[in-house]
Amino acid sequence: MTPGSTVESGDDQLDPLTIAERWMLDGREVAVATVIETWGSAPRPVGSHLVIDEEGNFSGSVSGGCVEGAVISEAADVIASGEPKMLEFGVADETAWRVGLSCGGKIQVYLERVG
Amino acid sequence: MDPHLLKKLNEARRARQAVIMLTELADGRNRLVKKGDPVSGELGEAVEKAFRTGKSGAVEAEGQRFFFNVHVPAPRMVIIGAVHISQALAPMATMAGFDVRVVDPRTAFATPERFEHVELTADWPEDALKERPVDAFTALVAVTHDPKIDDWPLISALKAEAFYVGALGSRKTHARRVERLTEAGLSEAEIGRIDAPIGADIGAQSPEEIAVAILAQVIAALRKPSQSRKD
């Protein structure tokens, strides 16, 4: 490699927003989920992303794997309607969601369609 | 999210520009603000604060609830020495989110074949670091064992207050290094900032294990600056 040249780093392969852009250019429908707020010992910090396509393929994370399934199923609705959604997950949150964070935290996730 | 804004956001991140993606949570409208862009009023104050702290979060301003996703450039790692340890450390650090660069004037070591997908400069650190010098957001890892190559970047990193400065070498090698750096005019406190023996004390033996130990210590220096010192 020549000095000063830029290459796609290994980081880009795992970067959700870079992946979202790539999927978009491939003509796939994409939703972006973002951690907006956390309370207690939430596993992923505010600003973390999970990106999902219309077939349920996903990359990144908004929790340590606790609530991704629920976010992915909601993403299908958001992709279809184009309306953003605010999701909340917490400990023993049985009423709204059948999933919770095992670590005892609480998170708010904003889900929006790209385009 | 507007696809055009996503593209702009990724462009700015690749160019190491600090940017904020602003989302109006009531209606989902997004806006991208680059550092230095004029934003007036209450929102402008919030933007200025977000750039200063680098923290993402929900913000109440002008009667609206916004989400600010603050993207600041990744910390850098400059590795002096295109050695076996660096071949393991460069991809590991890249994966951990560091912007990695390897510098070694020895062209036998600094070959693209040994460092695929890594920014590699086959030049003396004095020349290689002229355009993009080490700054406070840089970790400097010197692993050549050769004072002719390691000393200059070590001194420049200590002067620039790089958040991490580490040097490979036995206690004996390091004792001689301390003597040379003292002669070069560095204070005991400055020299004391060098992480040596390099890396977290996990009994690392193979080059790959040593790379893990170094990366662990670099992350500790980044995330727990007051507690990361081993002495």
Side-chain angles (χ1 to χ4, degrees), chain A residues 2-6, chain B residues 101 119-121 132:
Chain A
T2 52
S5 67
T6 52
Chain B
R101 187 172 181 204
E119 189 188 342
L120 178 69
T121 309
R132 274 180 296 157

Side-chain angles (χ1 to χ4, degrees), chain B residues 65-171:
Chain B
R65 188 163 179 247
F66 295 87
F67 179 68
F68 285 14
N69 211 345
V70 185
H71 299 268
V72 292
R76 286 192 163 118
M77 180 186 286
V78 174
I79 306 172
I80 306 297
V83 300
H84 196 170
I85 292 170
S86 320
Q87 285 177 284
L89 179 57
M92 284 180 195
T94 301
M95 189 175 271
F98 289 87
D99 207 335
V100 178
R101 187 172 181 204
V102 176
V103 177
D104 196 326
R106 301 168 301 179
T107 48
F109 285 86
T111 69
E113 196 183 13
R114 287 162 49 79
F115 288 89
E116 230 183 320
H117 307 303
V118 174
E119 189 188 342
L120 178 69
T121 309
D123 206 343
W124 288 90
E126 292 90 318
D127 297 316
L129 301 179
K130 205 175 280 168
E131 272 179 39
R132 274 180 296 157
V134 168
D135 59 22
F137 307 103
T138 306
L140 189 285
V141 178
V143 287
T144 71
H145 272 127
D146 183 344
K148 284 199 306 297
I149 305 172
D150 282 350
D151 281 7
W152 187 89
L154 282 174
I155 293 167
S156 85
L158 291 172
K159 294 221 157 117
E161 296 184 2
F163 76 87
Y164 172 90
V165 183
L168 187 70
S170 64
R171 284 172 204 283

Side-chain angles (χ1 to χ4, degrees), chain B:
Chain B
M1 188 187 288
D2 180 349
H4 181 66
L5 277 188
L6 175 62
K7 198 163 160 274
K8 287 261 176 223
L9 170 64
N10 284 338
E11 272 170 17
R13 292 165 67 225
R14 276 192 294 271
R16 293 183 65 85
Q17 280 180 314
V19 287
I20 301 176
M21 180 65 101
L22 248 77
T23 305
E24 276 185 51
L25 292 174
D27 60 9
R29 274 192 299 179
N30 311 106
R31 175 175 169 193
L32 192 67
V33 180
K34 288 185 184 168
K35 198 170 181 178
D37 283 356
V39 183
S40 59
E42 210 183 340
L43 193 60
E45 282 169 36
V47 162
E48 196 270 328
K49 187 182 168 206
F51 274 125
R52 203 173 58 236
T53 61
K55 280 218 156 82
S56 298
V59 172
E60 304 280 343
E62 281 147 23
Q64 296 253 42
R65 188 163 179 247
F66 295 87
F67 179 68
F68 285 14
N69 211 345
V70 185
H71 299 268
V72 292
R76 286 192 163 118
M77 180 186 286
V78 174
I79 306 172
I80 306 297
V83 300
H84 196 170
I85 292 170
S86 320
Q87 285 177 284
L89 179 57
M92 284 180 195
T94 301
M95 189 175 271
F98 289 87
D99 207 335
V100 178
R101 187 172 181 204
V102 176
V103 177
D104 196 326
R106 301 168 301 179
T107 48
F109 285 86
T111 69
E113 196 183 13
R114 287 162 49 79
F115 288 89
E116 230 183 320
H117 307 303
V118 174
E119 189 188 342
L120 178 69
T121 309
D123 206 343
W124 288 90
E126 292 90 318
D127 297 316
L129 301 179
K130 205 175 280 168
E131 272 179 39
R132 274 180 296 157
V134 168
D135 59 22
F137 307 103
T138 306
L140 189 285
V141 178
V143 287
T144 71
H145 272 127
D146 183 344
K148 284 199 306 297
I149 305 172
D150 282 350
D151 281 7
W152 187 89
L154 282 174
I155 293 167
S156 85
L158 291 172
K159 294 221 157 117
E161 296 184 2
F163 76 87
Y164 172 90
V165 183
L168 187 70
S170 64
R171 284 172 204 283
K172 222 161 127 189
T173 307
H174 188 62
R176 282 197 296 270
R177 182 182 292 131
V178 170
E179 280 173 29
R180 287 193 309 275
L181 297 188
T182 307
E183 260 172 53
L186 270 74
S187 72
E188 204 183 321
E190 282 175 314
I191 296 169
R193 285 193 55 233
I194 299 176
D195 178 32
I198 200 164
D201 186 6
I202 54 171
Q205 289 191 349
S206 70
E208 293 81 4
E209 290 173 1
I210 294 167
V212 170
I214 295 171
L215 186 56
Q217 202 65 35
V218 170
I219 291 170
L222 180 69
R223 301 296 184 198
K224 297 165 72 181
S226 58
Q227 295 167 51
S228 70
R229 298 285 300 278
K230 287 187 288 190
D231 46 7

